[in-house]
Amino acid sequence: QVQLVESGGGSVQPGGSLRLSCAASGSFFRHLAMGWYRQAPGKQRELVAGITSGEGSNYADSVKGRFTISRDNAKNTVYLQMNSLKPEDTAVYYCSATYALNIATATNKYWGQGTQITVSS
């Protein structure tokens, strides 16, 4: 079983920055494709950033140019650097993983517990 634990959530003013971390255990991390999803109240969960085992990445249009996903295989950790944050980014953010090639198209995924991001004045 793949265990995922997110950290780094919190509150920030518009225009600020945060970095989320997701630590994986019980897995062959190098073989995993990873992703960050978010879900706001009353809305569907959406993929905001994904990274393959080969370190190719993709982003939702709403976060392109502001968010960066990266991974450190030596630490079994994936990161999401979030810059120029907007109130619309407020949501619970979830780390996800799959042994499939790409997180966006994978049928079976593992999930972290989620961490709250609040962007407000």
Side-chain angles (χ1 to χ4, degrees), residues 4 6 20 22 35-39 45-48 91-96 111-115:
L4 304 172
E6 302 100 332
L20 301 181
C22 174
W36 288 97
Y37 288 75
R38 67 185 181 188
Q39 187 167 25
R45 188 173 298 187
E46 63 174 344
L47 178 65
V48 298
V92 177
Y93 283 69
Y94 297 90
C95 181
S96 187
W111 296 96
Q113 81 285 356
T115 186

Side-chain angles (χ1 to χ4, degrees), residues 55-115:
E55 303 196 18
S57 60
N58 62 281
Y59 300 90
D61 288 342
S62 59
V63 307
K64 285 180 179 177
R66 300 189 297 119
F67 291 10
T68 302
I69 188 170
S70 62
R71 64 192 297 160
D72 187 338
N73 289 339
K75 296 182 178 180
N76 288 0
T77 301
V78 64
Y79 304 96
L80 185 67
Q81 179 67 47
M82 302 183 292
N83 299 325
S84 302
L85 283 161
K86 304 175 180 179
E88 300 94 304
D89 296 319
T90 296
V92 177
Y93 283 69
Y94 297 90
C95 181
S96 187
T98 182
Y99 286 111
L101 291 178
N102 189 287
I103 194 73
T105 58
T107 301
N108 297 314
K109 302 180 181 70
Y110 301 93
W111 296 96
Q113 81 285 356
T115 186

